[in-house]
Amino acid sequence: MLARGCWRRPALRSERRRLGSAAPRYEVVVIGGGHAGTEAAAAAARGGARTLLLTHRIGTIGEMSCNPSFGGIGKGHLVREVDALDGLCGRMCDAAGVHYKVLNRSKGPAVWGLRAQIDRQRYRDGVQKEILSTPLLTVREASVEDLLLTEPEANRPGKCQVTGVVLGDGSTVCAGSVVLTTGTFLRGRILMGLEAHPAGRLGDPPAVGLAQTLERLGFAVGRLKTGTPPRLAKDTINFSGLEERVPDNPPVPFSFLSKAVWIKPEDQLSCYLTRTNLRAQKIVLDNLHLNDHVRETTKGPRYCPSFESKVLRFPNREHQVWLEPEGLESDVIYPQGLSMTLPPELQEQVIRSIQGLENAKILQPGYGVQYDFLDPRQLAASLESRLVQRLFFAGQINGTTGYEEAAAQGVIAGINACLRVQGKPPFIVSRTEGYVGVLIDDLTTLGTTEPYRMFTSRVEFRMSLRPDNADARLTHRGFEEAGCVSQRRYEQAVQMRAALEDGIATLKSLQFSISKWSHLVPEVPISSSRRSPVSAFDILRYPEANMEILARAIPEPLRKLAEWRELSERLKIEAAYEWCVANQQQEIEEVRRDEALQLPEDIDYFAIDASLSAEVREKLNSSRPQTIGAVSRVPGVTPAAIVNLLRFVKTTYRTEKPKAFPQTGKYLPGNVDLEKANPQTQISAGISEDKLGSTVVKTPF
Amino acid sequence: MAVVGGAWSRAGMALRRALSAAGRRCAQRLCSVAPGDTIFAVSSGHGRCGVAVIRTSGPGSGGALRSLTGNAELPPPRVMALRRIRDPHTAELLDRGLVVWFPGPRSFTGEDCAELHVHGGPAVVSGVLRALGRLCGLRPAEPGEFTRRAFHRGKLDLTAAEGLRDLIHAETEAQRQQALRQMDGELGRLYRRWGETLTQALAHVEAYIDFSEDDNVEEEVLSQVDAAVRALEREMAAHLRDGRRGELLRVGVRAVIAGPPNVGKSSLLNLLCQRPAAIVSPVAGTTRDVVEVSLNVSGYPVVLSDTAGLRDATDPIEREGVSRARERLQHADLVLAVLDATSVPTDPDELGAALRSLVPPATPCVLVLNKADLLGGCTGALDACTRGSPLPPTTLLSCKTGEGTDRLLQLLGQQLAQLCGDPLAGSPSLTQSRHSAHLRGCMAALAQYRQQQDVGMAAEQLRVARRHLGHITGHVGAEDILDVIFRDFCIGK
């Protein structure tokens, strides 16, 4: 009999021998075909691992189970970063959108939010086509009931390691590492009015066996809730009189590889805005007794509340409802902002009280979902579990919400599952390098009590981590360290980086007096208090300036820079942000230095002889920070505690060998002079002064 | 969108002007100090002590040492050298003390370090801290920062040898506790209120960035934030100008010599400053204008003013002198009331009335009975009159012979200590210099905020401002900001 859920020591050897001959073997097995699972499987396969993707139904791979849109403010940044690591979702969106719009256009390129309404059908088809044709990637329809486990590897945290999975039919598959991306399917419950039934998504069964296994293994589990609005029939809606939102022309693609999106600008669809009123509020308030989901204490997202909770928290006002198309041919409209769990007949009353929806027909009522998630503080920054070796988690199971958050974790988990099998060091994106780094650090250090969504306000170095430079930040590392980036993309990124560096150098070398500039570019109001001479790069940072204006004034050598549209746009952004980014550089260095100081993974905070209060020990034990940088972000840890911890670790772990850590940095083309080498050191290794004091990385300019 | 452009494009030009002006100022102040992050702190124990050690660490240490010693040459490494220490900003001589130069990596933190061993008087210590704080690239150390730097440079063993536990305690816990104690008071409440205002302003701008497109976060939040920021700036500027206890120490206590004509007020000034700063003559009404000198009394900076004798003058010039004297008295922190010992009223009520005519109510005062040499030893009557009544601290003095000077200085020292507080007891001078450095940083960022055109960059300046205030009131994380956003706005996507 196979050991299920927990390993039994006496039988191990014979089992393994038996399995070795019978069961199929993959280097990486990914469970789940949602946005995290597809990205994880594709990334592992790109990295060179023989990969198996297991899903309940191949037909639902790439399904967008909630809103029909991708991106947004903060989320658009994540899509760009997934794309920079050669992930799927950016390219898929460029081939499936029906309404592209960059949000926050007026607020500066650091916070632009690339967003698109997506044709669900096209997106799903695109992802399935891509996944089914990815080399080294096999897809199988099967449910996973259990994990195969064995003794742990020495010198790593974890009480056992995963060696494969047990499928619904009792057969087994062996795996070098396993990525779990089961979304809301862990003990999912769907709620509508007073009815509740177990399910992940409407119509799909939840994964109960796996949830029990994880609980038996000792994973801390929490419960979250979310919801989705009713879907409406397009031809029953009266759009006249509603505020129309038109898409961008030309649309901005998500992917660095796309020159343009698939759809003709003029063929795009519009969205419409309507508002709720007090009649809708009254229906909700009169029927709270019929609404279990709203009354329960499980945490829902504050930023994506159900209509009921909006009415309760901000009464007596109108609430926005966006009417979004679900596809080019689709007859379905998604009323964004109207997530509800009222009984269906009352949902209909609410809908019909709204302008434009007086005769709207509900195709599918809204419902709430409650589901288990695993406390992400049990994961390392590589997304590998500290409890079970070689088991990775990504997506909604870690307490996040949103396709983009799931996809970003999926890429990182897939890369690391692959690197783990190859015996290479993990691929960690720092908070200073990307939104995905902030996302994973927040989750693994601080955990979450509500579904975690990306916001730009969570990001300390927002001025540096922009959508325009995601490739400069991540593509090179993805190629060199993770092997998950294609040659073509890498070459394109290298070319762009060189062109940016050249362009900046050229612009900086063009220096004239202010009076000459005023003559050359009269449309730019140059301040006369500036000291002469002024470079073209300085001029470019004026809001009134751009590369076309400069190239008209100085055709040689600027015309060829201005003619390359992407390049000239990026030069403009680099110029505008140079000052701000330079100001942040020192702080970035500080964070990196602290992040380079790794804490031993097996440290027992309750037992160690360091001067730490019981409260601090408790906090450190529950969040298990992996670096001193992470320690300093744990609330309630004092500066003295940090220093005492450093001292303890330094004196106790003196003899261990340093670990290899990925080299970060050199991604900000405008700013390389300021950047010093990042001393990547484990605390336990004595630090050599020479190495720290003198190395300065000079990026070729 | 157009509205946004208008609201935020106000000041492209102004920004650049401010930037380049700031750049020039910085360059002027910079002298020989290298850019980068250099920290300083008093590293000897807190409280009054004979010698105080002030330590710097970071790339600017060498330049700071050169600036303060006014010497282009650094002393030989790790050798003590006697130097005059001046404030490079004002060229004022602060002290003569021992300085040591530790070039990195052979130093406590592994970085370039300098140590200034100066006399432990509060005026000297705060003077040196102030001078360091004015140098570009130098800032007061945060709790634990020296030790952290030592660690990063692999120097923790050194600190262990020096008794790390005590050091950490002194450097972090003691400072933290002191900061906390200070935060209990009026000042703490003020800073916390500013912190809340700024957190809310930042949260609203963040909400405008993260949610305005799809949700109900309207542009008017920005104008509300603008107004809140302007009000905050005004309040902070007024606070930094305000002359309370900490400030007294910075510019000096305003002490005014007052009394009837021809009692020897100008002689007292000359005695205290040990030079003939004021003209003295036997003619009443010699002093017409206010004569002002800066002094160091018992380690406290004092600005001493001699004024015209107070009487109903007929000469228009003298009348103007008397009115200036009265005005000066109104703003005095301390009054030295001078009376002629030979003609002092012996009736306590009469004496009290004479004093009230000189000293504004509630102003601390020292009563000086001058011309004691003319009493010829008959002080009996005087003793009798001072014994029974609630007079201020009183001393007999002879400006002519110098007799009674010690007693006068002692009384002055006591009064000054009460006025200024003991700046090193509980080290508020260091905390104050940290506070004012962070408040100035906060204000600079708020000024930048108003001039930004890109909302992202404007928010960045608010973040910088909030971080500065966070060094005083405690930091605010992304979650706290989100809490405010979700409290104040209905985010309903």
Side-chain angles (χ1 to χ4, degrees), chain A residues 542-574:
Chain A
Y542 281 77
E544 297 82 1
N546 58 42
M547 283 302 291
E548 284 87 83
I549 289 178
L550 285 176
R552 262 203 307 278
I554 315 166
E556 191 50 46
L558 296 184
R559 193 171 44 205
K560 65 176 193 303
L561 296 179
E563 278 167 359
W564 184 353
R565 192 177 52 83
E566 291 96 346
L567 178 66
S568 69
E569 283 169 4
R570 288 179 69 162
L571 284 170
K572 166 76 188 164
I573 298 174
E574 292 290 343

Side-chain angles (χ1 to χ4, degrees), chain B residues 161-215:
Chain B
E162 290 177 25
L164 183 79
R165 227 168 259 244
D166 292 347
L167 197 96
I168 291 171
H169 188 77
E171 208 190 320
T172 58
E173 283 308 302
Q175 277 189 22
R176 198 170 64 85
Q177 281 166 11
Q178 259 144 25
L180 281 179
R181 217 174 296 135
Q182 294 204 331
M183 292 304 290
D184 284 343
E186 197 65 34
L187 211 52
R189 273 193 293 279
L190 179 69
Y191 292 160
R192 272 192 294 272
R193 182 167 60 76
W194 288 349
E196 282 158 21
T197 306
L198 202 45
T199 302
Q200 176 152 10
L202 176 58
H204 286 195
V205 174
E206 296 283 4
Y208 183 69
I209 289 172
D210 270 338
F211 303 106
S212 71
E213 294 271 339
D214 286 313
D215 299 301

Side-chain angles (χ1 to χ4, degrees), chain A residues 437-449:
Chain A
V438 174
L439 168 76
I440 291 175
D441 183 64
D442 277 350
L443 288 174
T444 59
T445 305
L446 305 175
T448 186
T449 53

Side-chain angles (χ1 to χ4, degrees), chain B residues 84-101:
Chain B
R84 284 175 201 280
I85 295 168
R86 286 178 191 279
D87 184 336
H89 200 67
T90 61
E92 178 197 357
L93 180 65
L94 298 169
D95 196 13
R96 268 157 58 90
L98 295 167
V99 301
V100 198
W101 163 237

Side-chain angles (χ1 to χ4, degrees), chain B residues 131-149:
Chain B
L132 286 171
R134 278 196 193 137
L135 295 173
C136 219
L138 267 79
R139 62 172 175 82
E142 293 301 321
E145 214 174 355
F146 275 93
T147 315
R148 292 285 297 278
R149 290 190 176 204

Side-chain angles (χ1 to χ4, degrees), chain A residues 191-491:
Chain A
L191 296 104
M192 200 186 292
L194 297 176
E195 280 175 45
H197 50 269
R201 195 162 41 212
L202 208 54
D204 290 316
V208 177
L210 210 48
Q212 284 168 351
T213 299
L214 294 174
E215 205 164 322
R216 230 178 12 249
L217 281 165
F219 282 96
V221 176
R223 203 150 171 84
L224 293 172
K225 69 177 178 183
T226 184
T228 194
R231 309 300 150 87
L232 309 176
K234 189 178 189 173
D235 51 14
T236 62
I237 296 175
N238 177 12
F239 291 101
S240 64
L242 300 184
E243 203 176 300
E244 181 179 4
R245 183 203 284 230
V246 295
D248 287 342
N249 186 1
V252 177
F254 284 93
S255 174
F256 287 99
L257 293 182
S258 307
K259 292 270 172 257
V261 300
W262 73 287
I263 196 169
K264 283 199 215 121
E266 61 274 21
D267 290 347
Q268 295 182 89
L269 305 177
S270 287
C271 295
Y272 294 86
L273 178 63
T274 181
R275 291 186 166 83
T276 64
N277 51 40
L278 295 184
R279 271 192 294 150
Q281 171 172 321
K282 186 165 189 309
I283 299 167
V284 169
L285 294 179
D286 288 349
N287 293 286
L288 279 180
H289 59 288
L290 298 176
N291 209 335
D292 273 347
H293 189 64
V294 171
R295 284 181 298 160
E296 281 184 29
T297 50
T298 309
K299 286 272 191 164
R302 288 174 298 179
Y303 40 81
C304 186
S306 60
F307 177 59
E308 292 95 322
S309 35
K310 282 193 276 191
V311 162
L312 290 173
R313 289 188 49 225
F314 295 92
N316 303 324
R317 62 163 92 168
E318 295 182 336
H319 297 279
Q320 289 187 338
V321 178
W322 288 99
L323 301 177
E324 303 178 347
E326 294 223 341
L328 219 46
E329 313 292 330
S330 166
D331 183 41
V332 183
I333 288 292
Y334 181 95
Q336 175 89 273
L338 267 190
S339 160
M340 282 190 281
T341 54
L342 284 167
E345 59 281 7
L346 291 169
Q347 290 189 24
E348 191 165 14
Q349 288 183 26
V350 170
I351 292 288
R352 298 206 162 168
S353 73
I354 297 171
Q355 189 200 350
L357 308 183
E358 294 85 354
N359 300 308
K361 192 174 144 227
I362 293 184
L363 297 172
Q364 176 202 302
Y367 59 91
V369 183
Q370 297 187 354
Y371 58 97
D372 281 358
F373 78 106
L374 301 183
D375 185 342
R377 291 178 296 181
Q378 301 165 99
L379 305 178
S382 62
L383 296 179
E384 182 174 351
S385 153
R386 275 200 299 263
L387 226 46
V388 179
Q389 297 171 353
R390 296 173 180 273
L391 181 61
F392 295 75
F393 293 91
Q396 225 166 345
I397 192 171
N398 288 339
T400 61
T401 173
Y403 309 142
E404 305 81 358
E405 288 83 351
Q409 292 173 68
V411 170
I412 300 297
I415 288 172
N416 282 317
C418 170
L419 291 173
R420 182 75 161 85
V421 174
Q422 295 166 349
K424 293 181 185 161
F427 182 79
I428 311 290
V429 177
S430 142
R431 293 184 81 86
T432 65
E433 284 177 302
Y435 276 50
V436 60
V438 174
L439 168 76
I440 291 175
D441 183 64
D442 277 350
L443 288 174
T444 59
T445 305
L446 305 175
T448 186
T449 53
E450 68 178 334
Y452 181 103
R453 182 182 139 186
M454 199 71 235
F455 301 117
T456 73
S457 54
R458 298 188 192 272
V459 180
E460 294 91 338
F461 305 112
R462 186 164 59 191
M463 298 292 102
S464 310
L465 309 184
R466 303 185 307 264
D468 65 275
N469 67 6
D471 58 341
R473 292 184 273 124
L474 295 174
T475 301
H476 298 77
R477 282 195 63 203
F479 182 81
E480 287 152 15
E481 295 168 37
C484 68
V485 170
S486 71
Q487 187 73 30
R488 177 185 156 216
R489 183 186 287 271
Y490 177 66
E491 279 166 11

